[in-house]
Amino acid sequence: MIEKRQFYINGQWVDPAMAQDFTVIDPSTEDPCAVISLGSQADTDAAVAAAKAALPGWMATPAADRIALVEKLIDVYETRGEDLAQAMSLEMGAPIDMSRTQQVGAGIWHLKNFVRAAKAFQFDRPLGDHAPNDRIIYEAVGVAALITPWNWPMNQITLKAGAAAIAGCTMVLKPSEQSPLNAMIFAEMMDEAGFPAGVFNLVNGDGAGVGTQLAGHPDVDMVSFTGSTRAGTAISKTAADTLKKVHLELGGKGANVVFADADEKAVKRGVLHMMNNTGQSCNAPSRMLVQRPIYDQAVETAAEVAGKVSVGGALEEGRHIGPVVNELQWTKIQDLIQKGIDEGARLVAGGTGRPEGLNKGYYVRPTIFADANNQMTIAREEIFGPVLTMIPFDTEEEAIEIANDTPYGLTNYVQTQDGDRANRMARALRSGMVEMNGQSRSAGSPFGGMKQSGNGREGGIWGLEDFLEVKAVGGWAAE
């Protein structure tokens, strides 16, 4: 069993102030795979103090030098890809091939995009030609607490740490206790890249412990959190007493609107997108809205595609989906599948229980519900598993009404070959992101939502700006 009982604070691996162990479970087998220590208030205080002490020097470091260190981190990252892939497959269940490509690849993608954006970013600029003695200076928010989830670990860690480092913030990372091993490898990478002591710190812990301590800490200037809407609400309330900046990337219940003129691969593409990462993505297209003329065929296609999605262990090579992360999630998903049945949705693929031949591990059957309406629980709540809900619609206006009838607003999807309609839908859908006809967003595009899906933007220039304060200066002396 792997033992990771130290924290990375002030450039050193240190023993926790108080040893409270947490056992990480391999979701493929339900067996323990690692033991870590959870941080105490003393550990949180030590990490924050180190970050606070390092802040003046790191803020004063030229942006070009901070960018160069992130470039060095990219070089180190490329040497540790297999270590990261193995860790994430073990601890959170991503199939190893998917872990090597998507999970590991997401991190290096974001770091490279931050470097590109930062090299073109003016951290110090004139207000405008009309005001020659006014300057706008972008400077670090300060000490940033980074609280990351288990479902896309490297994706979220790099989106936060890469931007914070370039912006000049110092950091305390609290990864999910469900997937801590990849984060500790990342700390090793930051150390090897040569970041100064105290710029990056890591303390393991749970949300109720270290997460709450960071959110309320008077010396933390900003919290960047990715996770559930419930936890984001709690963090916001805790952070309010110190008026710190709070950046939230929360849940979603995205609509995938499939019009009658959609391309022939649209339904299959939507089902496979939903099943990716075993449905454990906040931007998953979990509600498929299908125009009625093609609805019956779409249901048939979706059921056929789901029936061909294989399920297997995370360390098995090949194209399949793995388990969900833990027993709590598995039980929640089972309850929601049963709720869908009880409320009258038509089950056309999957259902409750484990897939055939799998009697151990947190495996979920790829599940499709048809003939649902938007008031059913499976259409309202974020299931966070491989479960797709299909809803028919007649008109464009009805599709917009159904898609927007949700407390969430992260990502919506549109499938149509009518360009004017696609553009109308993009403007009408209330979400931070809209993707059309299988085209994902490009490098540097911001990731984030509206409503209960959060209030921040991650990636590219917008990701940098979230970690920067704007300082307006009048009477600037000519240089």
Side-chain angles (χ1 to χ4, degrees):
M1 189 183 306
I2 299 169
E3 293 193 5
K4 295 283 188 180
R5 300 173 185 267
Q6 290 185 307
F7 305 143
Y8 186 74
I9 298 175
N10 204 28
Q12 301 179 68
W13 290 98
V14 299
D15 293 327
M18 296 176 61
Q20 180 185 352
D21 287 345
F22 178 85
T23 301
V24 182
I25 302 298
D26 175 353
S28 294
T29 64
E30 302 183 39
D31 295 328
C33 65
V35 176
I36 63 168
S37 291
L38 301 181
S40 65
Q41 183 71 58
D43 299 308
T44 301
D45 290 344
V48 172
K52 183 180 180 181
L55 180 63
W58 186 238
M59 286 179 65
T61 300
D65 293 347
R66 299 196 299 260
I67 294 168
L69 271 174
V70 174
E71 290 181 307
K72 176 62 176 173
L73 174 63
I74 292 170
D75 293 338
V76 175
Y77 193 115
E78 290 177 335
T79 71
R80 301 297 301 271
E82 184 63 18
D83 295 336
L84 290 168
Q86 293 287 340
M88 288 185 281
S89 289
L90 178 67
E91 62 194 341
M92 55 75 59
I96 188 62
D97 286 352
M98 181 262 190
S99 192
R100 286 171 177 147
T101 54
Q102 297 181 49
Q103 293 279 5
V104 173
I108 203 160
W109 165 264
H110 293 312
L111 293 175
K112 288 180 176 178
N113 288 336
F114 279 133
V115 167
R116 183 185 303 112
K119 287 183 175 179
F121 189 82
Q122 288 182 281
F123 289 86
D124 184 330
R125 66 185 72 169
L127 175 63
D129 293 340
H130 70 289
N133 299 117
D134 280 47
R135 304 288 291 185
I136 299 297
I137 298 173
Y138 288 86
E139 69 178 34
V141 171
V143 174
L146 316 179
I147 303 176
T148 57
W150 46 262
N151 60 321
W152 287 93
M154 271 301 108
N155 182 74
Q156 293 307 134
I157 289 173
T158 54
L159 274 171
K160 299 181 190 302
I166 290 174
C169 292
T170 56
M171 297 157 267
V172 180
L173 170 66
K174 188 212 82 67
S176 169
E177 70 276 18
Q178 306 291 334
S179 60
L181 302 179
N182 69 90
M184 299 186 84
I185 293 170
F186 185 81
E188 294 172 0
M189 291 159 47
M190 293 289 283
D191 186 72
E192 184 177 345
F195 283 85
V199 169
F200 176 86
N201 307 273
L202 179 146
V203 177
N204 281 314
D206 57 18
V210 174
T212 299
Q213 294 160 16
L214 287 169
H217 203 290
D219 291 332
V220 169
D221 301 294
M222 173 181 177
V223 178
S224 180
F225 170 77
T226 299
S228 70
T229 298
R230 176 194 55 77
T233 300
I235 284 172
S236 297
K237 291 177 179 178
T238 302
D241 287 340
T242 50
L243 292 176
K244 56 174 56 69
K245 186 174 184 179
V246 178
H247 164 128
L248 301 172
E249 198 279 283
L250 307 175
K253 194 66 182 176
N256 184 9
V257 184
V258 182
F259 286 95
D261 68 342
D263 66 89
E264 61 182 11
K265 295 181 180 179
V267 173
K268 178 180 179 180
R269 186 169 62 237
V271 173
L272 294 179
H273 189 174
M274 180 63 236
M275 301 302 165
N276 189 45
N277 204 37
T278 319
Q280 298 171 121
S281 301
C282 52
N283 62 340
S286 54
R287 292 180 296 154
M288 183 179 284
L289 280 50
V290 183
Q291 200 161 25
R292 210 171 291 274
I294 63 167
Y295 178 75
D296 290 341
Q297 180 58 54
V299 171
E300 185 178 323
T301 299
E304 181 182 347
V305 172
K308 292 179 180 178
V309 174
S310 59
V311 183
L315 297 180
E316 297 173 17
E317 297 193 355
R319 296 187 63 182
H320 59 277
I321 64 173
V324 296
V325 71
N326 57 28
E327 184 179 11
L328 182 66
Q329 289 294 120
W330 189 88
T331 301
K332 173 194 168 187
I333 294 164
Q334 299 302 311
D335 289 347
L336 284 166
I337 292 173
Q338 186 60 52
K339 191 82 168 176
I341 296 169
D342 294 344
E343 291 184 356
R346 178 161 60 101
L347 183 69
V348 297
T352 56
R354 291 178 174 83
E356 186 176 350
L358 293 170
N359 298 318
K360 192 175 184 183
Y362 303 122
Y363 299 101
V364 176
R365 299 170 68 189
T367 296
I368 307 288
F369 281 106
D371 303 349
N373 64 63
N374 208 47
Q375 302 314 308
M376 291 181 176
T377 304
I378 55 172
R380 308 299 298 177
E381 294 190 17
E382 186 178 36
I383 298 174
F384 230 60
V387 181
L388 175 66
T389 301
M390 301 183 72
I391 303 171
F393 72 90
D394 290 302
T395 65
E396 181 178 323
E397 292 73 22
E398 184 186 8
I400 292 168
E401 181 180 358
I402 295 171
N404 287 341
D405 180 21
T406 173
Y408 296 106
L410 190 57
T411 314
N412 285 305
Y413 303 83
V414 178
Q415 319 298 327
T416 179
Q417 297 183 66
D418 182 332
D420 290 339
R421 177 161 58 197
N423 292 345
R424 288 196 303 271
M425 292 292 293
R427 290 188 172 93
L429 293 170
R430 291 285 295 161
S431 55
M433 298 170 286
V434 179
E435 297 184 6
M436 295 185 282
N437 299 319
Q439 171 125 12
S440 56
R441 295 164 301 105
S442 299
S445 178
F447 188 104
M450 302 176 180
K451 302 190 282 185
Q452 291 188 24
S453 289
N455 56 15
R457 292 295 181 271
E458 295 187 312
I461 290 173
W462 293 269
L464 292 176
E465 289 180 341
D466 259 6
F467 286 90
L468 292 166
E469 296 281 18
V470 178
K471 178 184 287 182
V473 180
W476 185 265
E479 295 178 315

